[in-house]
Each structure stands twice: as structure tokens, then as C-alpha cells.
Amino acid sequence: MEFTSYFGPVSSYHHYVASIFAGISLCLLVYRSTAVLSSLLFNKAYGKLSAAQKIEWNNRGISTFHAFFVSFASFYFLIISDIFKDGSHGDLIVNRSSTLTNTVLGISIGYFITDLVMILWYFPALGGLEYVLHHGLSMLSILISMITGQLQIYILMVLFSESTTPSINLRWYLDVAGLKSSKLYIVNGIALFLGWLVARIFLFMFFFCHVWTHFDEVKEMNALCYYFMFVVPSVLTLMNLYWFWKIAKGMVKTVTKSTHRKRA
């Protein structure tokens, strides 16, 4: 006999906990691996870093790994798999989930827990209050979606926006390595601008359009998921617009400096 709670089958909690701990374990492994590989492959640049910079360097290895993982997973579930395609299943699109989607969400929660702990431990070296807010909202939203089995299509849409993270990290790596004036830095800056525009501006516009066109299904969700779906993406949209403005300013500044150097 399977016992249930308001949030679903109690037997599923073992899977949730296991996937979260798997995410934490993977993050710790990537953190250590980043340190080892960086000392071997980029010893000249990595060896000159201060202790605080090495911690941030390794920490960004974790966020890069998580970004690639959730981006590919989200792309698979949203585009390739038929789990969220209209008419492919009898369930409402907002109620669809699977063991595999729950595993991905659990691993993602493990990342946000690990990164948030590091941010708070070294605060504010690895990020200010905006990062605490971003991670806290993301983690809570994913957890609610995972244990209710609802909202997962929209959680995966938002997680795909993490695809911009590798460009953000590469920008920092090039900066601390003294390569801020390199062509790679300029190209990466342009790629970051375009990637952010697509993955964090246009995608969120599509997100709200999708909610509107499927509102008859959205309103069938439980109250907790319903309100979180509107509040959290709205806050993240405002944060994305603010960061996009800063990225655009930085890109214009970098390209302008590069043009002046060529003319000189």
C-alpha cells in the first residue's frame, strides 16, 4: 500500500532525496576536478591567483557544469521528447512529469544548495544579495514542482536560461587571466549579449505567452504552484533585464575600446 500526502506519494521522497544528494555530490566532485585540471592545464594563470580567486575559479566550474547539464536536459524534454507536446498525453500539460524529469530537477536543486552554501559562507565574495535571491527562489520553485509533479514544463523553460552561464564564466576567467583585451574576450562578450537576449529575454516572453495560451490548464494547478509560477518568473524577468542592461553596457564599452586600439 502506498501512502500519500498533499504533495504526492511518500515513497517518491526517497527518489527526491537521492537525486538531490547526487547533485550535491556531483558539484563537490566538479569543484575538486576543476582545481586539479586547472592546475595542470592552466597552471600559469591558475597559479597566480589568490586563494579567494581560486575558490571562485573552482566555484564557477560547478556552475558551468550545471549550466551544460540542465540546458541539454531541458532542450531534450522540451524539444525532442514528446512528454510536453500538445496532445501527446492525456494529462494536462502542467501536470506532466516523469522519473527522469524529477531526477534532473533533484540534481539541479543539489547544485543550488551547494552554490548557495558557498555564496553565504564566503559572502559577498562569490555574489551579493541578488544571487541569494535568485538561488533561493529557483531552489524553492524547483522543489515545489518536483514534489507536486506540476509546473515542470515551465521550470525546464526557466532552467534553459542557464545556458548563458558558461559565457559569463568564460568572461570572468579571461579577465582574471589578463586576457581582457583578447579577441576571444570580445567575441565571448558579443555571444553573451546575444545568448542573454535569446535565452533570458525572448525565452521569458515565450514563457508568458505559453502560460496565456494554456491558461485553462494553468488554473487547474494547486494554489501554491499557481502563485509561484507568476511570482518567481516575474522577479527573475526583472533581474534578467537589469543584468542584460549591464551586459549591454559592458559589451559596448569593450567593443569601443577595441575599435580605438585598432585605429591607434
Side-chain angles (χ1 to χ4, degrees), residues 69-79 155-157 159-160:
F69 173 74
V70 294
S71 296
F72 283 119
S74 298
F75 182 83
Y76 170 77
F77 290 126
L78 296 172
I79 304 299
I155 293 293
L156 291 168
M157 284 186 191
L159 281 176
F160 185 78

Side-chain angles (χ1 to χ4, degrees), residues 19 22-31 33-34 57-73 104 107-108 110-112 114 159 162-163 165-167 169 173:
S19 59
I24 295 173
S25 299
L26 282 171
C27 287
L28 296 177
L29 177 62
V30 171
Y31 183 87
S33 299
T34 301
W57 180 293
N58 301 336
N59 174 265
R60 287 178 181 271
I62 298 175
S63 60
T64 299
F65 163 78
H66 172 257
F68 279 120
F69 173 74
V70 294
S71 296
F72 283 119
V104 169
I107 291 173
S108 189
Y111 158 73
F112 282 115
T114 305
L159 281 176
E162 290 291 312
S163 58
T165 299
S167 291
N169 289 341
Y173 285 137

Side-chain angles (χ1 to χ4, degrees), residues 51-99:
Q53 287 177 321
K54 287 182 178 179
I55 290 173
E56 183 167 0
W57 180 293
N58 301 336
N59 174 265
R60 287 178 181 271
I62 298 175
S63 60
T64 299
F65 163 78
H66 172 257
F68 279 120
F69 173 74
V70 294
S71 296
F72 283 119
S74 298
F75 182 83
Y76 170 77
F77 290 126
L78 296 172
I79 304 299
I80 300 175
S81 172
D82 66 348
I83 185 173
F84 296 115
K85 290 181 180 178
D86 289 329
S88 61
H89 295 274
D91 294 336
L92 297 178
I93 198 169
V94 295
N95 291 337
R96 297 177 193 174
S97 63
S98 68
T99 301

Side-chain angles (χ1 to χ4, degrees), residues 238-258:
L238 293 175
M239 296 176 71
N240 287 336
L241 288 171
Y242 170 71
W243 283 327
F244 182 64
W245 174 70
K246 295 183 68 174
I247 289 170
K249 284 182 62 179
M251 184 194 68
V252 171
K253 184 178 179 181
T254 301
V255 172
T256 301
K257 283 185 177 180
S258 176

Side-chain angles (χ1 to χ4, degrees), residues 84-231:
F84 296 115
K85 290 181 180 178
D86 289 329
S88 61
H89 295 274
D91 294 336
L92 297 178
I93 198 169
V94 295
N95 291 337
R96 297 177 193 174
S97 63
S98 68
T99 301
L100 194 54
T101 58
N102 282 322
T103 300
V104 169
L105 296 185
I107 291 173
S108 189
I109 290 176
Y111 158 73
F112 282 115
I113 291 174
T114 305
D115 203 42
L116 184 58
V117 168
M118 291 192 69
I119 289 173
L120 294 174
W121 185 265
Y122 295 104
F123 191 84
L126 298 180
L129 291 175
E130 68 274 17
Y131 287 91
V132 176
L133 177 63
H134 174 273
H135 281 32
L137 289 175
S138 299
M139 184 171 59
L140 188 56
S141 300
I142 297 171
L143 180 62
I144 290 173
S145 177
M146 185 170 69
I147 62 181
T148 61
Q150 297 184 329
L151 201 62
Q152 293 196 4
I153 181 174
Y154 297 121
I155 293 293
L156 291 168
M157 284 186 191
V158 174
L159 281 176
F160 185 78
S161 66
E162 290 291 312
S163 58
T164 59
T165 299
S167 291
I168 296 172
N169 289 341
L170 180 58
R171 184 181 184 181
W172 185 88
Y173 285 137
L174 294 172
D175 188 6
V176 296
L179 298 173
K180 198 171 182 177
S181 59
S182 65
K183 289 184 179 180
L184 179 57
Y185 187 88
I186 297 172
V187 171
N188 180 68
I190 297 173
L192 175 58
F193 172 83
L194 296 175
W196 198 280
L197 182 64
V198 172
R200 292 187 183 249
I201 304 299
F202 291 159
L203 178 60
F204 273 70
M205 292 170 62
F206 174 79
F207 174 98
F208 288 111
C209 287
H210 192 280
V211 170
W212 175 256
T213 57
H214 292 79
F215 192 71
D216 57 327
E217 298 182 51
V218 169
K219 63 184 180 182
E220 297 297 324
M221 294 189 301
N222 70 60
L224 186 61
C225 289
Y226 180 84
Y227 289 113
F228 256 82
M229 191 197 62
F230 286 105
V231 173

